[in-house]
Amino acid sequence: MRKNKIAIKLSVYFAIALLTFSIIIGSMFFYLFRNYTIEIHKNELLKYAMSLSNILSTEENRNLSRGMGGYGAYLRFIVDVADTDVWILDKNMELTTAGKGPGMMSGKYNLSALPPNAEELIMQVLQGETAFSEGFSETLAQPTLTVGTPIKNESGEIIGAVLLHSPIEGTKSAVNKGLSILITSMLLALAITSVLSLFFSYSFTKPLNKMKEVALQLSAGDYAAKCNINQNDEIGELANTIDSLAVRLDEASKESSKLEKLRREFVANISHELRTPITVIRGSLEALHDKVVTDPDKVEEYQIQMINEAKFLERLVSDLLDLSKLQNAEFAIDKSTISINDVISDVTRSATQLANKKNIEIKTKFEDDTINIQGDYGRLRQMFLILIDNAIKFSPNNSTIEILATKNEVSIRDNGPGIDDADLPYIFDRFFKTHGQENKSGTGLGLAIAKQIAERHNIMLTAENNPDGGAKFICKLPRD
């Protein structure tokens, strides 16, 4: 539980918000409910006062005995039922009747028996107003409420006043009872909602903890970790983003491993390719320097061998530079509108000299007089020369090489042994060389260079074996 800090914070914040809400609602309820109950009590006193005033408005009722047979019975009813003190004054502000406690008295009384501040209220009543007064009774040690109504005779003349004086003890008890119920309800609601807030907080933070664990696994290199959270909200979107990031990191890791493997293989291959000619050149130079070989024919043979090895090194370095340039996206290729027919015719003329050594005939066929693309003439010439040279290298003596150019593709087919199915996926890799005497002098970079030139021209270069024998290289030309 200590680890789930967010859930605890959410629960505390929710509890504080609920407590604040309860205090505000409780205060408003206490204030409004108190005023409401006082208003009800005030209306009740006003009803009794007006009823008594109506009874005393007739001379007949005023002259009746104030005992059980007169309005005294109604006074006792008000005193007993409403817990109210009753005073009746004439127009000279003389107290004629006072009803207090369980009994009542009649006659002339001193105004000091009236409630505090009653004189001001009596003056308002004798002017024809119904008046109210709230105060604090030092005798009763509690808040009180006084209501006054005028007494009018049959002609509408004000002849006296009725005052009802009552403590607000009953109202206070009702308010306190309501407040205790409210507090109990608030505490119960706070307890229930606290439990629910803990539950919902932990439910809310559970996916966050899952994402945290996945993030730690990703930082540790475990890119197979997944959140697998299905929520239609921001948390679900974040989880999906982390899962997408995991997939991309996994792909990047595999690609990085693949590139590292290729780098190591490249270093190993280039070291091997460089070591052999350097060893031959060094051995020949040492033999000549140490006078181990002195025969002129042998010396010339050694010199020719060193020249051939130097040429091989030169070609290898040149191929590496070409491959490096072509693989660099910032290396610009000057493209212009060129004719594929012209490029192939140019390459065929150059390759004929190589083909004549093996008595190989190069047949060229153009299905259209105009096959134009946007490209670099020199690089495309280099690509087709590599492919035709490769076809000559693996073609037997006295055979043919067929070149077919259409609007969509250029194919170069030889009649050699074809490509082994196991080697077919790798023939465009750097330093990949098939086994055989024909490829002994190759650097293993020719087809890789041709592939890069094709990709820089949006040409899809592929290789396949002909059903009738031999290999075929196909260059699918880009559409306009």
Side-chain angles (χ1 to χ4, degrees), residues 359-374:
N359 196 26
I360 295 174
E361 180 184 3
I362 301 177
K363 295 181 179 180
T364 305
K365 180 181 180 181
F366 302 107
E367 287 192 350
D368 198 299
D369 294 336
T370 305
I371 304 175
N372 295 333
I373 68 168
Q374 291 291 320

Side-chain angles (χ1 to χ4, degrees), residues 258 262 265 418-434 447-448 451 455 461-465 473:
K258 181 180 177 181
L262 290 174
E265 291 178 352
I419 305 171
D420 192 285
D421 291 339
D423 296 335
L424 199 57
Y426 309 104
I427 61 172
F428 294 110
D429 292 347
R430 291 172 296 181
F431 295 106
F432 180 82
K433 293 195 298 183
T434 58
L447 290 180
K451 183 72 170 179
E455 290 180 355
L461 175 58
T462 58
E464 61 184 33
N465 288 312
F473 286 84

Side-chain angles (χ1 to χ4, degrees), residues 102-379:
M104 54 173 264
M105 297 174 288
S106 303
K108 302 295 184 180
Y109 299 95
N110 194 293
L111 291 178
S112 61
L114 293 174
N117 302 323
E119 293 184 10
E120 181 179 352
L121 185 142
I122 293 171
M123 292 298 296
Q124 294 179 6
V125 173
L126 292 179
Q127 292 178 3
E129 299 179 6
T130 299
F132 302 92
S133 174
E134 292 187 37
F136 185 81
S137 174
E138 295 182 358
T139 302
L140 300 175
Q142 60 178 317
T144 58
L145 178 65
T146 304
V147 178
T149 58
I151 302 174
K152 299 179 181 180
N153 58 17
E154 291 85 346
S155 61
E157 180 185 357
I158 298 174
I159 59 176
V162 175
L163 268 65
L164 271 64
H165 180 71
S166 173
I168 316 179
E169 178 65 29
T171 303
K172 184 178 179 182
S173 300
V175 172
N176 291 337
K177 184 67 175 177
L179 184 62
S180 64
I181 294 174
L182 177 63
I183 293 175
T184 303
S185 301
M186 288 168 54
L187 292 176
L188 182 61
L190 185 62
I192 296 174
T193 52
S194 297
V195 175
L196 291 176
S197 66
L198 284 172
F199 173 76
F200 289 130
S201 297
Y202 277 95
S203 299
F204 176 78
T205 56
K206 184 178 179 180
L208 296 178
N209 292 330
K210 177 64 175 178
M211 288 187 284
K212 174 187 173 183
E213 295 175 0
V214 172
L216 291 175
Q217 290 176 328
L218 293 178
S219 64
D222 183 10
Y223 302 128
K226 295 290 185 298
C227 296
N228 294 325
I229 297 174
N230 296 320
Q231 290 186 202
N232 191 21
D233 53 15
E234 287 79 2
I235 293 180
E237 293 176 359
L238 179 58
N240 292 333
T241 302
I242 293 177
D243 288 345
S244 299
L245 176 62
V247 172
R248 294 188 179 183
L249 287 174
D250 188 34
E251 293 175 352
S253 176
K254 292 178 180 178
E255 185 66 22
S256 178
S257 300
K258 181 180 177 181
L259 291 175
E260 178 63 19
K261 181 181 178 181
L262 290 174
R263 186 191 68 80
R264 292 178 180 177
E265 291 178 352
F266 175 78
V267 172
N269 290 331
I270 194 64
S271 299
H272 174 75
E273 295 294 335
L274 290 173
R275 185 184 296 114
T276 301
I278 290 175
T279 302
V280 172
I281 292 173
R282 178 181 176 181
S284 300
L285 287 174
E286 287 178 350
L288 294 174
H289 180 269
D290 295 339
K291 307 298 182 180
V292 175
V293 178
T294 56
D295 182 68
D297 294 336
K298 285 289 185 181
V299 170
E300 184 179 359
E301 182 181 341
Y302 272 61
Q303 290 174 345
I304 293 173
Q305 186 176 16
M306 287 188 293
I307 291 173
N308 291 334
E309 296 297 337
K311 289 180 179 180
F312 175 82
L313 285 175
E314 181 183 12
R315 188 169 73 256
L316 178 61
V317 172
S318 178
D319 288 346
L320 286 172
L321 289 175
D322 285 344
L323 187 61
S324 177
K325 289 178 181 179
L326 291 168
Q327 289 178 330
N328 185 4
E330 296 180 358
F331 176 68
I333 292 181
D334 297 328
K335 292 184 178 181
S336 60
T337 303
I338 61 174
S339 171
I340 290 293
N341 298 0
D342 293 343
V343 176
I344 294 176
S345 298
D346 187 4
V347 172
T348 303
R349 285 192 296 270
S350 299
T352 300
Q353 298 179 5
L354 299 174
N356 290 337
K357 294 179 181 179
K358 299 177 69 174
N359 196 26
I360 295 174
E361 180 184 3
I362 301 177
K363 295 181 179 180
T364 305
K365 180 181 180 181
F366 302 107
E367 287 192 350
D368 198 299
D369 294 336
T370 305
I371 304 175
N372 295 333
I373 68 168
Q374 291 291 320
D376 186 313
Y377 187 95
R379 290 297 177 183

Side-chain angles (χ1 to χ4, degrees), residues 409 411-414 419 462-467 470-474:
E409 66 181 34
S411 62
I412 301 172
R413 175 192 173 184
D414 62 51
I419 305 171
T462 58
E464 61 184 33
N465 288 312
N466 258 329
K472 181 198 290 188
F473 286 84
I474 301 171

